[in-house]
Amino acid sequence: CGGEPFAVVATMAEEEEELAPARKIFVHNVAQYLGSNLSKRIAASEDEKFEIIGTLGSQSDVKPRWVSRVVEPTAEAMKAAFLECEVTVLDCLNQMQASEELLAAIAPLAELDESKVLIGISSVMTWTRTSPDAEEPEKALTEEEYKRRRPHSRFKQLLALEKLVTRAKRPGLRTHVVAAGVTYGNEEDVLHRLFKAAWKNQPLPLMTLAEGANVLPTIHVNDVCSIVLKLFENDSAPPYLLGVDAGQQSEEAQTVATITSKLSGELGTGEVTRPDEIEVRCTTDYEFFQVGIKLAPSAVDDLGIEWHAKEGLLAHLPAVVREYRESRGLMPMCVLVHGNDVVAKRALAAAVGKEYKLSVIDAAAVLAAKGEGETDAKALIGALTTTACRNQGYVLEGYPRSCDEAK
């Protein structure tokens, strides 16, 4: 019976752990790209229990299943959620007005009873017009120079919002701004236009007003999430951080032209087109493809995050393409049509291919056209690994013809 007290103590400890209240996190725009990935990452934490409260960006948005509840994006409702939660994360780039309204609502609060953290996720678009060092023009800028940053003309309001976030600091409230590079990964956001065109086997447009030689500052959305999570606890982190990876320092220049070409080859047909200037300017978010300012974070490295794609988009492109397929559910549909009735089999294959927009591969025709010395397997593999077959799938008619071929 000497072991019984220990068993009771262990059980009580487990019960206390289970009854420990979840840490409440308020995430803006929780159904869209950044908010969705961030809230999902927080909710999946195995180290702690979190309760996610969020706002929706539009009436058509649907609350993600891992979010406990959503509040109306009104000043009073957001203020109440802010006061209820330990950490608040603002999507400054995509929800400027809502972020400004929340900051205005909490401005009269001179001091907070409980310690809180406010994190604003912004963009390097507030740096694009910053002058380089006159003596070392090739030297990358760091967050130590954030007070002299100059934005793209369309992002002046975003710069003003960044300043509001940093100035919101007061007793009981720690604030941080994370200026993220061109964000990529998972279902994609700004780069979705290119990924979608490549998957649909279309030529990729080179979205540049020049030659596409600018080297993009980028960051994977998973790494943005890692930075935010580290800021939950790190009270020594600076008020302003640059969230960019090492892609600009890679051996192969991570230029817009190279990214477009490599993506087309990895996911699409390998073709790239050059739209005229008017078409580029009329494209949503075209400004992000023009960024080329050299940035090098130092504070992010000090946080000690576990990088998902530190070397940048170009270095991790095959993995990023796989993420895109999985996140969007773009797995190819592969159908075998077999039977004794040749006419019915052919009609069925054509009907399935038309309905699902799949390539119809006539095995007999492929084998009849194979080269001298080429095996049946090699000929069929060639026919079934075209870009269209890899992306959308195929309908294979008339193969295998026997049990041996099926093996």
Side-chain angles (χ1 to χ4, degrees), residues 276-300:
D276 59 37
E277 182 177 337
I278 295 177
E279 185 178 349
V280 172
R281 290 187 182 276
C282 289
T283 303
T284 303
D285 293 330
Y286 82 91
E287 299 93 341
F288 288 85
F289 295 91
Q290 319 310 314
V291 181
I293 186 168
K294 293 183 179 180
L295 301 170
S298 57
V300 167

PDB file of all heavy atoms in Angstrom, residues 276-300:
ATOM      1  N   ASP A 276       1.906  43.772 -70.616  1.00  0.00           N
ATOM      2  CA  ASP A 276       2.310  45.169 -70.762  1.00  0.00           C
ATOM      3  C   ASP A 276       2.116  45.911 -69.442  1.00  0.00           C
ATOM      4  O   ASP A 276       1.507  45.397 -68.492  1.00  0.00           O
ATOM      5  CB  ASP A 276       1.535  45.854 -71.889  1.00  0.00           C
ATOM      6  CG  ASP A 276       0.022  45.835 -71.671  1.00  0.00           C
ATOM      7  OD1 ASP A 276      -0.419  45.979 -70.517  1.00  0.00           O
ATOM      8  OD2 ASP A 276      -0.708  45.672 -72.659  1.00  0.00           O
ATOM      9  N   GLU A 277       2.630  47.121 -69.372  1.00  0.00           N
ATOM     10  CA  GLU A 277       2.633  47.874 -68.123  1.00  0.00           C
ATOM     11  C   GLU A 277       1.226  48.125 -67.580  1.00  0.00           C
ATOM     12  O   GLU A 277       0.988  48.033 -66.373  1.00  0.00           O
ATOM     13  CB  GLU A 277       3.345  49.216 -68.319  1.00  0.00           C
ATOM     14  CG  GLU A 277       3.422  50.044 -67.044  1.00  0.00           C
ATOM     15  CD  GLU A 277       4.194  51.332 -67.242  1.00  0.00           C
ATOM     16  OE1 GLU A 277       5.011  51.412 -68.175  1.00  0.00           O
ATOM     17  OE2 GLU A 277       3.972  52.265 -66.439  1.00  0.00           O
ATOM     18  N   ILE A 278       0.284  48.425 -68.476  1.00  0.00           N
ATOM     19  CA  ILE A 278      -1.084  48.701 -68.032  1.00  0.00           C
ATOM     20  C   ILE A 278      -1.692  47.469 -67.374  1.00  0.00           C
ATOM     21  O   ILE A 278      -2.336  47.557 -66.318  1.00  0.00           O
ATOM     22  CB  ILE A 278      -1.952  49.153 -69.225  1.00  0.00           C
ATOM     23  CG1 ILE A 278      -1.441  50.498 -69.761  1.00  0.00           C
ATOM     24  CG2 ILE A 278      -3.413  49.256 -68.814  1.00  0.00           C
ATOM     25  CD1 ILE A 278      -2.182  50.996 -70.971  1.00  0.00           C
ATOM     26  N   GLU A 279      -1.473  46.303 -67.966  1.00  0.00           N
ATOM     27  CA  GLU A 279      -2.016  45.069 -67.396  1.00  0.00           C
ATOM     28  C   GLU A 279      -1.413  44.782 -66.029  1.00  0.00           C
ATOM     29  O   GLU A 279      -2.113  44.352 -65.112  1.00  0.00           O
ATOM     30  CB  GLU A 279      -1.755  43.891 -68.348  1.00  0.00           C
ATOM     31  CG  GLU A 279      -2.396  42.594 -67.888  1.00  0.00           C
ATOM     32  CD  GLU A 279      -2.174  41.449 -68.861  1.00  0.00           C
ATOM     33  OE1 GLU A 279      -1.692  41.715 -69.991  1.00  0.00           O
ATOM     34  OE2 GLU A 279      -2.461  40.297 -68.483  1.00  0.00           O
ATOM     35  N   VAL A 280      -0.121  45.031 -65.895  1.00  0.00           N
ATOM     36  CA  VAL A 280       0.535  44.808 -64.595  1.00  0.00           C
ATOM     37  C   VAL A 280      -0.054  45.741 -63.540  1.00  0.00           C
ATOM     38  O   VAL A 280      -0.414  45.318 -62.447  1.00  0.00           O
ATOM     39  CB  VAL A 280       2.055  45.020 -64.709  1.00  0.00           C
ATOM     40  CG1 VAL A 280       2.704  44.981 -63.318  1.00  0.00           C
ATOM     41  CG2 VAL A 280       2.679  43.960 -65.605  1.00  0.00           C
ATOM     42  N   ARG A 281      -0.171  47.026 -63.880  1.00  0.00           N
ATOM     43  CA  ARG A 281      -0.669  48.011 -62.915  1.00  0.00           C
ATOM     44  C   ARG A 281      -2.122  47.774 -62.526  1.00  0.00           C
ATOM     45  O   ARG A 281      -2.557  48.190 -61.450  1.00  0.00           O
ATOM     46  CB  ARG A 281      -0.498  49.427 -63.473  1.00  0.00           C
ATOM     47  CG  ARG A 281       0.947  49.891 -63.556  1.00  0.00           C
ATOM     48  CD  ARG A 281       1.043  51.338 -63.959  1.00  0.00           C
ATOM     49  NE  ARG A 281       2.415  51.781 -64.083  1.00  0.00           N
ATOM     50  CZ  ARG A 281       3.171  52.207 -63.056  1.00  0.00           C
ATOM     51  NH1 ARG A 281       2.643  52.253 -61.839  1.00  0.00           N
ATOM     52  NH2 ARG A 281       4.408  52.600 -63.256  1.00  0.00           N
ATOM     53  N   CYS A 282      -2.873  47.107 -63.392  1.00  0.00           N
ATOM     54  CA  CYS A 282      -4.281  46.828 -63.103  1.00  0.00           C
ATOM     55  C   CYS A 282      -4.468  45.550 -62.291  1.00  0.00           C
ATOM     56  O   CYS A 282      -5.604  45.182 -61.958  1.00  0.00           O
ATOM     57  CB  CYS A 282      -5.073  46.732 -64.411  1.00  0.00           C
ATOM     58  SG  CYS A 282      -5.288  48.330 -65.243  1.00  0.00           S
ATOM     59  N   THR A 283      -3.371  44.867 -61.990  1.00  0.00           N
ATOM     60  CA  THR A 283      -3.437  43.621 -61.225  1.00  0.00           C
ATOM     61  C   THR A 283      -3.362  43.915 -59.738  1.00  0.00           C
ATOM     62  O   THR A 283      -2.511  44.679 -59.288  1.00  0.00           O
ATOM     63  CB  THR A 283      -2.280  42.680 -61.622  1.00  0.00           C
ATOM     64  OG1 THR A 283      -2.342  42.426 -63.026  1.00  0.00           O
ATOM     65  CG2 THR A 283      -2.377  41.361 -60.866  1.00  0.00           C
ATOM     66  N   THR A 284      -4.245  43.318 -58.962  1.00  0.00           N
ATOM     67  CA  THR A 284      -4.249  43.506 -57.514  1.00  0.00           C
ATOM     68  C   THR A 284      -2.912  43.103 -56.901  1.00  0.00           C
ATOM     69  O   THR A 284      -2.354  42.059 -57.244  1.00  0.00           O
ATOM     70  CB  THR A 284      -5.374  42.661 -56.874  1.00  0.00           C
ATOM     71  OG1 THR A 284      -6.621  43.030 -57.468  1.00  0.00           O
ATOM     72  CG2 THR A 284      -5.444  42.900 -55.372  1.00  0.00           C
ATOM     73  N   ASP A 285      -2.393  43.948 -56.045  1.00  0.00           N
ATOM     74  CA  ASP A 285      -1.150  43.686 -55.294  1.00  0.00           C
ATOM     75  C   ASP A 285       0.091  43.622 -56.175  1.00  0.00           C
ATOM     76  O   ASP A 285       1.108  43.029 -55.776  1.00  0.00           O
ATOM     77  CB  ASP A 285      -1.263  42.381 -54.482  1.00  0.00           C
ATOM     78  CG  ASP A 285      -2.280  42.477 -53.358  1.00  0.00           C
ATOM     79  OD1 ASP A 285      -2.480  43.576 -52.842  1.00  0.00           O
ATOM     80  OD2 ASP A 285      -2.856  41.438 -52.997  1.00  0.00           O
ATOM     81  N   TYR A 286       0.044  44.240 -57.346  1.00  0.00           N
ATOM     82  CA  TYR A 286       1.225  44.196 -58.224  1.00  0.00           C
ATOM     83  C   TYR A 286       2.435  44.840 -57.560  1.00  0.00           C
ATOM     84  O   TYR A 286       3.594  44.519 -57.885  1.00  0.00           O
ATOM     85  CB  TYR A 286       0.924  44.894 -59.559  1.00  0.00           C
ATOM     86  CG  TYR A 286       1.059  46.403 -59.530  1.00  0.00           C
ATOM     87  CD1 TYR A 286       2.260  47.025 -59.847  1.00  0.00           C
ATOM     88  CD2 TYR A 286      -0.012  47.208 -59.150  1.00  0.00           C
ATOM     89  CE1 TYR A 286       2.387  48.409 -59.806  1.00  0.00           C
ATOM     90  CE2 TYR A 286       0.101  48.575 -59.107  1.00  0.00           C
ATOM     91  CZ  TYR A 286       1.306  49.184 -59.431  1.00  0.00           C
ATOM     92  OH  TYR A 286       1.430  50.546 -59.386  1.00  0.00           O
ATOM     93  N   GLU A 287       2.185  45.766 -56.617  1.00  0.00           N
ATOM     94  CA  GLU A 287       3.289  46.480 -55.971  1.00  0.00           C
ATOM     95  C   GLU A 287       4.251  45.535 -55.257  1.00  0.00           C
ATOM     96  O   GLU A 287       5.451  45.813 -55.167  1.00  0.00           O
ATOM     97  CB  GLU A 287       2.751  47.501 -54.953  1.00  0.00           C
ATOM     98  CG  GLU A 287       1.869  48.582 -55.561  1.00  0.00           C
ATOM     99  CD  GLU A 287       0.388  48.220 -55.504  1.00  0.00           C
ATOM    100  OE1 GLU A 287       0.093  47.019 -55.334  1.00  0.00           O
ATOM    101  OE2 GLU A 287      -0.452  49.115 -55.633  1.00  0.00           O
ATOM    102  N   PHE A 288       3.722  44.434 -54.726  1.00  0.00           N
ATOM    103  CA  PHE A 288       4.576  43.504 -53.986  1.00  0.00           C
ATOM    104  C   PHE A 288       5.648  42.874 -54.880  1.00  0.00           C
ATOM    105  O   PHE A 288       6.713  42.499 -54.390  1.00  0.00           O
ATOM    106  CB  PHE A 288       3.721  42.396 -53.352  1.00  0.00           C
ATOM    107  CG  PHE A 288       2.891  42.866 -52.190  1.00  0.00           C
ATOM    108  CD1 PHE A 288       1.649  43.437 -52.400  1.00  0.00           C
ATOM    109  CD2 PHE A 288       3.361  42.756 -50.896  1.00  0.00           C
ATOM    110  CE1 PHE A 288       0.872  43.873 -51.333  1.00  0.00           C
ATOM    111  CE2 PHE A 288       2.602  43.197 -49.814  1.00  0.00           C
ATOM    112  CZ  PHE A 288       1.352  43.772 -50.043  1.00  0.00           C
ATOM    113  N   PHE A 289       5.362  42.757 -56.161  1.00  0.00           N
ATOM    114  CA  PHE A 289       6.318  42.141 -57.081  1.00  0.00           C
ATOM    115  C   PHE A 289       7.424  43.107 -57.511  1.00  0.00           C
ATOM    116  O   PHE A 289       8.356  42.712 -58.197  1.00  0.00           O
ATOM    117  CB  PHE A 289       5.586  41.611 -58.317  1.00  0.00           C
ATOM    118  CG  PHE A 289       4.635  40.491 -58.012  1.00  0.00           C
ATOM    119  CD1 PHE A 289       3.308  40.750 -57.707  1.00  0.00           C
ATOM    120  CD2 PHE A 289       5.068  39.176 -58.011  1.00  0.00           C
ATOM    121  CE1 PHE A 289       2.425  39.719 -57.415  1.00  0.00           C
ATOM    122  CE2 PHE A 289       4.198  38.142 -57.718  1.00  0.00           C
ATOM    123  CZ  PHE A 289       2.873  38.417 -57.420  1.00  0.00           C
ATOM    124  N   GLN A 290       7.305  44.374 -57.119  1.00  0.00           N
ATOM    125  CA  GLN A 290       8.307  45.370 -57.502  1.00  0.00           C
ATOM    126  C   GLN A 290       9.332  45.607 -56.391  1.00  0.00           C
ATOM    127  O   GLN A 290      10.315  46.306 -56.588  1.00  0.00           O
ATOM    128  CB  GLN A 290       7.632  46.710 -57.851  1.00  0.00           C
ATOM    129  CG  GLN A 290       6.345  46.621 -58.654  1.00  0.00           C
ATOM    130  CD  GLN A 290       6.440  45.741 -59.874  1.00  0.00           C
ATOM    131  OE1 GLN A 290       7.399  45.822 -60.646  1.00  0.00           O
ATOM    132  NE2 GLN A 290       5.441  44.880 -60.084  1.00  0.00           N
ATOM    133  N   VAL A 291       9.116  44.999 -55.218  1.00  0.00           N
ATOM    134  CA  VAL A 291       9.985  45.260 -54.067  1.00  0.00           C
ATOM    135  C   VAL A 291      11.372  44.673 -54.303  1.00  0.00           C
ATOM    136  O   VAL A 291      11.499  43.537 -54.766  1.00  0.00           O
ATOM    137  CB  VAL A 291       9.379  44.643 -52.784  1.00  0.00           C
ATOM    138  CG1 VAL A 291      10.267  44.941 -51.577  1.00  0.00           C
ATOM    139  CG2 VAL A 291       7.978  45.181 -52.558  1.00  0.00           C
ATOM    140  N   GLY A 292      12.378  45.450 -53.961  1.00  0.00           N
ATOM    141  CA  GLY A 292      13.741  44.946 -54.114  1.00  0.00           C
ATOM    142  C   GLY A 292      14.687  45.477 -53.065  1.00  0.00           C
ATOM    143  O   GLY A 292      15.894  45.232 -53.121  1.00  0.00           O
ATOM    144  N   ILE A 293      14.141  46.202 -52.074  1.00  0.00           N
ATOM    145  CA  ILE A 293      14.990  46.763 -51.027  1.00  0.00           C
ATOM    146  C   ILE A 293      15.644  45.638 -50.222  1.00  0.00           C
ATOM    147  O   ILE A 293      15.020  44.637 -49.902  1.00  0.00           O
ATOM    148  CB  ILE A 293      14.168  47.691 -50.102  1.00  0.00           C
ATOM    149  CG1 ILE A 293      15.090  48.392 -49.116  1.00  0.00           C
ATOM    150  CG2 ILE A 293      13.057  46.922 -49.399  1.00  0.00           C
ATOM    151  CD1 ILE A 293      14.420  49.524 -48.359  1.00  0.00           C
ATOM    152  N   LYS A 294      16.920  45.808 -49.921  1.00  0.00           N
ATOM    153  CA  LYS A 294      17.664  44.772 -49.200  1.00  0.00           C
ATOM    154  C   LYS A 294      17.444  44.916 -47.698  1.00  0.00           C
ATOM    155  O   LYS A 294      17.716  45.968 -47.116  1.00  0.00           O
ATOM    156  CB  LYS A 294      19.157  44.880 -49.522  1.00  0.00           C
ATOM    157  CG  LYS A 294      19.488  44.538 -50.968  1.00  0.00           C
ATOM    158  CD  LYS A 294      20.982  44.592 -51.212  1.00  0.00           C
ATOM    159  CE  LYS A 294      21.319  44.215 -52.656  1.00  0.00           C
ATOM    160  NZ  LYS A 294      22.776  44.269 -52.916  1.00  0.00           N
ATOM    161  N   LEU A 295      16.960  43.843 -47.092  1.00  0.00           N
ATOM    162  CA  LEU A 295      16.643  43.845 -45.670  1.00  0.00           C
ATOM    163  C   LEU A 295      17.277  42.642 -44.989  1.00  0.00           C
ATOM    164  O   LEU A 295      17.310  41.551 -45.556  1.00  0.00           O
ATOM    165  CB  LEU A 295      15.122  43.806 -45.469  1.00  0.00           C
ATOM    166  CG  LEU A 295      14.327  44.959 -46.090  1.00  0.00           C
ATOM    167  CD1 LEU A 295      12.838  44.672 -46.023  1.00  0.00           C
ATOM    168  CD2 LEU A 295      14.656  46.276 -45.399  1.00  0.00           C
ATOM    169  N   ALA A 296      17.767  42.846 -43.788  1.00  0.00           N
ATOM    170  CA  ALA A 296      18.396  41.756 -43.029  1.00  0.00           C
ATOM    171  C   ALA A 296      17.967  41.857 -41.571  1.00  0.00           C
ATOM    172  O   ALA A 296      18.379  42.780 -40.863  1.00  0.00           O
ATOM    173  CB  ALA A 296      19.917  41.834 -43.141  1.00  0.00           C
ATOM    174  N   PRO A 297      17.131  40.955 -41.114  1.00  0.00           N
ATOM    175  CA  PRO A 297      16.682  41.018 -39.722  1.00  0.00           C
ATOM    176  C   PRO A 297      17.772  40.565 -38.768  1.00  0.00           C
ATOM    177  O   PRO A 297      18.565  39.695 -39.080  1.00  0.00           O
ATOM    178  CB  PRO A 297      15.496  40.043 -39.711  1.00  0.00           C
ATOM    179  CG  PRO A 297      15.871  39.022 -40.737  1.00  0.00           C
ATOM    180  CD  PRO A 297      16.589  39.784 -41.822  1.00  0.00           C
ATOM    181  N   SER A 298      17.797  41.181 -37.616  1.00  0.00           N
ATOM    182  CA  SER A 298      18.711  40.727 -36.568  1.00  0.00           C
ATOM    183  C   SER A 298      17.924  40.287 -35.338  1.00  0.00           C
ATOM    184  O   SER A 298      18.261  39.302 -34.686  1.00  0.00           O
ATOM    185  CB  SER A 298      19.685  41.849 -36.185  1.00  0.00           C
ATOM    186  OG  SER A 298      18.981  43.006 -35.766  1.00  0.00           O
ATOM    187  N   ALA A 299      16.842  40.993 -35.034  1.00  0.00           N
ATOM    188  CA  ALA A 299      16.056  40.675 -33.843  1.00  0.00           C
ATOM    189  C   ALA A 299      15.374  39.316 -33.955  1.00  0.00           C
ATOM    190  O   ALA A 299      15.254  38.599 -32.962  1.00  0.00           O
ATOM    191  CB  ALA A 299      15.011  41.766 -33.610  1.00  0.00           C
ATOM    192  N   VAL A 300      14.920  38.954 -35.152  1.00  0.00           N
ATOM    193  CA  VAL A 300      14.239  37.671 -35.335  1.00  0.00           C
ATOM    194  C   VAL A 300      15.184  36.513 -35.018  1.00  0.00           C
ATOM    195  O   VAL A 300      14.789  35.527 -34.389  1.00  0.00           O
ATOM    196  CB  VAL A 300      13.678  37.546 -36.766  1.00  0.00           C
ATOM    197  CG1 VAL A 300      13.259  36.110 -37.057  1.00  0.00           C
ATOM    198  CG2 VAL A 300      12.494  38.483 -36.953  1.00  0.00           C
TER     199      VAL A 300
END
